[in-house]
Amino acid sequence: MSKEIKIITEKLHFAYQGRAVLEDIDLTLLDNSIIAVTGPSGTGKSTLLSVFNRLWEESSDGVFAGQVLIRLSGRLVDIYGPELPVDALRRKVGMVFQIPNPLPMTIFKNIAFPLMLKGLRTKSEVAGMVETMLTRVHLFDEVKDRLNHDARSLSGGQQQRLCIARALMVDPEVLLLDEPTSSLDSKASEKIEDLLVELKEKCTLLMVSHYQDQVRRIADEVYELADRQLYRMS
Amino acid sequence: MSAHIFRLAAFASGFLTIAVFVMMLVLGWPLFTSGQFFAILTGEWRPSNELFGIFPMLVGSALVSVLALCFSLPVSLGTAFVVATLAPRPLRRAVQLMVRFMAGIPTVIYGFVAIFLLVPFMREQLTGGSGLNILTASLVLALLIAPTMIVFFVSGLQNVEERYRLAVDALGGRPVQKLLYLQLPQAWPEITAGIIMGLGRAMGDTLISLMLAGNSVAAPQAAVDSGRTLTAHIALVIAADFDGMQFKSIFACGLILYVFTAIVVMLLRLIIGRSMCQV
């Protein structure tokens, strides 16, 4: 079965505090795949990710130009256009950060948090969904007896799987991953990699990674960001 | 050398705080030895009948400060929400600037403006009488304590770590959801501290209640009654007497205010200390 186009960027340009970080990036990415972006530190890989969920708007004095289209619910949508509110975009384009960032609340509440944002509050329904999601990221057996414990008490690897589960809770169509294993040991990284390979059946994963081995193991397409340009690697 | 100076300054301020307490205790000692202390706490103020009770002032102080807190809390919380999260950045800065400016206005200006604007309104539209009553004083005190509370609230709401805020943003949380589900639960120690600080400020203020509460020595039965607070009572008695029993009775007022302030400070330290431990 041929894959559909999931993301298109046209003449993407991003400047931060007057300095160009990304220039004229034209990109076409297919769905149900893992796309890795590599490159030296400080070249704007994380900035590139934040362009796809407009998260840069929350914290920086960035200037964006160009067009980013993402196929959401079967239709290519201009994510900077007026028809898509930013909160709706971010529910469709989830994000996992470099350093795991569980919220300062229990494991259960962390996973249920996105449902609360959507207004879903039926306790039994939420409990079932939390268990399903924790099982999906292979975390349920490890935490089932301490769902009411502070999520920050989990190990780094467990925290990152928790964050992935939290991001998946609202069924995103694209998942952005900013070096998701950089703060983890090799065993925990392996578990995350296996999970990402499973996840691409359901969504498109755009991942920034420093690790060439990891990229070779799991990525379907690899790009390198250098000199403000994105180059497709063979 | 500079360390010695700082140590000396710290010692001097600590010593002065204790000295104030000891001074009030010594000057009020005749009250304790004559067994009148509790009679003063619970009795009426009728100096012509040799009755020097401060119970009406205790009620007045409690009513004025609690009412001021009730009026100020929702407004201060709302302003803090706007400054911390909800408003666009230029508006946040403008409101924050205004709040800081409010904090710097001398108390007498609030009282002065209220006498010309609020008192006539209260007299003609709401409470009748002279317009000088507990309600009028507490409304102006609410305005006076608001900047103190807002500063605490904003600091608490903005202190929530950036990574948590970004996590909620990345999940599609709207600003108001981020505020209600993340920032507010995280900021409760500062919010509690702000409330206690506001209450302490309202209880300790002299000029507003002196100018606007009416200064009646009868215990107020309702918010629209005229009343006198402990601080206003001290100011009024000290201006009229310097040696008699009236004068000595104000040390009971001083002791109560001192103990109340000490409790407020200790509660603040406890709350802030606990929140630091949780980080």
Side-chain angles (χ1 to χ4, degrees):
Chain A
M1 198 176 75
S2 66
K3 290 181 175 180
E4 277 191 315
I5 291 172
K6 190 69 183 174
I7 299 174
I8 301 173
T9 69
E10 286 170 1
K11 301 250 177 253
L12 176 76
H13 179 99
F14 190 88
Y16 177 65
Q17 290 183 339
R19 188 177 66 90
V21 182
L22 307 169
E23 264 181 0
D24 288 335
I25 291 179
D26 293 324
L27 192 64
T28 303
L29 304 174
L30 300 177
D31 65 2
N32 299 110
S33 47
I34 298 177
I35 302 114
V37 178
T38 65
S41 296
T43 48
K45 300 187 294 296
S46 299
T47 304
L48 176 68
L49 284 191
S50 73
V51 162
F52 293 106
N53 65 352
R54 297 176 58 178
L55 200 62
W56 62 270
E57 293 174 3
E58 300 300 329
S59 55
S60 76
D61 306 321
V63 177
F64 166 86
Q67 199 172 34
V68 181
L69 305 168
I70 301 182
R71 188 178 298 280
L72 298 173
S73 307
R75 204 164 59 87
L76 273 174
V77 181
D78 177 0
I79 65 163
Y80 286 85
E83 64 174 310
L84 186 65
V86 72
D87 51 315
L89 167 74
R90 287 174 187 165
R91 281 176 203 149
K92 290 288 179 188
V93 182
M95 184 160 192
V96 175
F97 295 83
Q98 182 176 5
I99 296 168
N101 57 354
L103 294 166
M105 48 188 77
T106 66
I107 295 167
F108 183 91
K109 282 184 179 169
N110 259 276
I111 305 294
F113 195 82
L115 298 178
M116 192 163 73
L117 294 180
K118 277 179 80 177
L120 190 62
R121 281 162 185 270
T122 319
K123 213 171 177 184
S124 56
E125 207 178 343
V126 171
M129 291 170 85
V130 167
E131 184 180 333
T132 306
M133 192 50 70
L134 283 171
T135 308
R136 193 169 160 198
V137 299
H138 311 292
L139 193 58
F140 186 70
D141 287 338
E142 294 168 50
V143 300
K144 64 184 173 194
D145 299 325
R146 46 188 176 134
L147 289 174
N148 288 325
H149 287 204
D150 192 322
R152 292 169 296 178
S153 65
L154 296 173
S155 71
Q158 288 173 325
Q159 284 189 19
Q160 196 61 302
R161 277 182 285 153
L162 179 97
C163 292
I164 292 173
R166 191 179 61 193
L168 293 174
M169 206 62 185
V170 282
D171 287 328
E173 295 187 32
V174 176
L175 191 59
L176 308 170
L177 302 127
D178 191 357
E179 303 195 42
T181 60
S182 70
S183 62
L184 309 180
D185 60 36
S186 58
K187 204 175 165 190
S189 299
E190 210 174 295
K191 282 188 177 175
I192 300 281
E193 283 178 20
D194 292 343
L195 178 61
L196 297 183
V197 173
E198 282 174 36
L199 288 177
K200 75 172 182 177
E201 299 300 319
K202 293 265 182 184
C203 61
T204 305
L205 292 96
L206 185 56
M207 177 180 77
V208 163
S209 178
H210 263 119
Y211 304 114
Q212 294 302 325
D213 298 357
Q214 183 180 61
V215 166
R216 268 195 295 275
R217 273 196 301 273
I218 66 171
D220 298 302
E221 282 184 83
V222 182
Y223 290 85
E224 184 176 6
L225 186 62
D227 301 325
R228 301 180 291 279
Q229 301 283 331
L230 205 54
Y231 302 98
R232 186 168 183 182
M233 312 299 286
S234 58
Chain B
M1 181 63 187
S2 56
H4 285 300
I5 294 171
F6 292 143
R7 251 183 240 134
L8 196 68
F11 174 76
S13 58
F15 173 77
L16 279 174
T17 310
I18 295 165
V20 167
F21 183 74
V22 171
M23 187 205 77
M24 281 190 298
L25 207 59
V26 168
L27 291 175
W29 194 247
L31 291 174
F32 291 99
T33 50
S34 63
Q36 289 187 67
F37 186 71
F38 288 102
I40 282 176
L41 281 188
T42 54
E44 290 177 70
W45 177 262
R46 263 190 283 151
S48 53
N49 296 0
E50 297 290 306
L51 293 172
F52 303 103
I54 57 166
F55 181 71
M57 295 70 172
L58 280 172
V59 176
S61 277
L63 256 180
V64 164
S65 44
V66 170
L67 270 179
L69 190 68
C70 292
F71 292 134
S72 192
L73 184 59
V75 177
S76 303
L77 262 181
T79 311
F81 291 169
V82 165
V83 173
T85 303
L86 299 180
R89 279 194 186 129
L91 183 62
R92 285 186 211 180
R93 272 196 286 270
V95 176
Q96 211 158 12
L97 204 70
M98 205 171 68
V99 168
R100 283 185 198 147
F101 178 68
M102 272 174 72
I105 296 174
T107 316
V108 70
I109 303 290
Y110 284 103
F112 193 62
V113 171
I115 279 183
F116 287 97
L117 294 178
L118 185 63
V119 172
F121 175 79
M122 297 298 271
R123 184 171 53 228
E124 284 153 30
Q125 307 293 332
L126 273 179
T127 62
S130 67
L132 298 170
N133 51 49
I134 298 282
L135 184 62
T136 308
S138 56
L139 280 170
V140 180
L141 262 182
L143 197 65
L144 187 80
I145 65 174
T148 308
M149 296 211 288
I150 292 167
V151 166
F152 270 84
F153 297 168
V154 169
S155 152
L157 293 169
Q158 286 183 335
N159 274 348
V160 175
E161 286 181 45
E162 179 77 4
R163 63 194 176 118
Y164 298 146
R165 283 189 271 172
L166 274 180
V168 179
D169 289 331
L171 289 166
R174 287 188 284 271
V176 75
Q177 292 177 314
K178 186 165 57 175
L179 183 75
L180 293 177
Y181 301 143
L182 174 72
Q183 289 173 287
L184 207 52
Q186 285 290 294
W188 78 264
E190 285 89 349
I191 288 173
T192 314
I195 291 170
I196 293 172
M197 202 68 189
L199 187 67
R201 179 106 207 264
M203 190 91 174
D205 184 77
T206 308
L207 211 55
I208 295 295
S209 44
L210 188 67
M211 291 171 85
L212 302 172
N215 296 313
S216 159
V217 291
Q221 305 294 314
V224 292
D225 287 351
S226 168
R228 187 186 285 196
T229 61
L230 288 170
T231 48
H233 181 64
I234 292 174
L236 287 166
V237 170
I238 224 162
D241 188 17
F242 60 90
D243 194 31
M245 203 55 193
Q246 285 190 51
F247 183 73
K248 289 192 177 76
S249 73
I250 65 172
F251 290 99
C253 302
L255 279 171
I256 289 166
L257 283 171
Y258 191 101
V259 170
F260 177 77
T261 311
I263 291 170
V264 166
V265 170
M266 279 190 282
L267 274 175
L268 269 178
R269 287 179 69 102
L270 193 75
I271 290 164
I272 292 171
R274 268 193 191 161
S275 75
M276 296 286 277
C277 290
Q278 283 169 358
V279 172

